[in-house]
């Protein structure tokens, strides 16, 4: 894994506001974001732990550069 400035910023945001770090990494309508939000509401430390896990260990979905034809 390559350490970049964006990754360091995401980790810092995950420590301060866990859902925001996950949102920047994976998007706001993902399962990772919703899990992190619920864990942060239930307890701040579990939210931080999951946010760091989601940022460092969960691979991103590759973005589609083009659309496939249906027919």
């Amino acid at each position: 894994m390559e350490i970049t400035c964006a990754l360091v910023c995401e980790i810092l945001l995950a420590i301060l506001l866990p859902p925001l770090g996950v949102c920047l990494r994976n998007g706001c309508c993902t399962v990772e974001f919703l899990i992190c939000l619920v864990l942060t509401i239930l307890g701040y430390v579990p939210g931080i732990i999951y946010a760091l896990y989601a940022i460092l260990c969960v691979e991103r979905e590759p973005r589609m550069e083009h659309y496939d034809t249906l027919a």
Side-chain angles (χ1 to χ4, degrees):
M1 178 194 310
E2 185 177 318
I3 302 292
T4 61
C5 182
L7 182 63
V8 172
C9 290
E10 289 170 356
I11 290 172
L12 289 175
L13 283 174
I15 293 170
L16 296 175
L17 295 167
L20 183 60
V22 175
C23 178
L24 291 177
R25 179 74 173 182
N26 297 322
C28 291
C29 294
T30 60
V31 174
E32 287 86 10
F33 174 75
L34 294 175
I35 291 172
C36 186
L37 185 65
V38 169
L39 286 174
T40 303
I41 290 171
L42 294 175
Y44 186 67
V45 175
I48 291 174
I49 293 170
Y50 183 77
L52 291 175
Y53 167 75
I55 290 172
L56 296 174
C57 297
V58 175
E59 294 294 324
R60 282 195 221 191
E61 297 278 330
R63 294 197 183 258
M64 296 293 286
E65 296 291 330
H66 62 281
Y67 293 104
D68 291 331
T69 57
L70 295 175

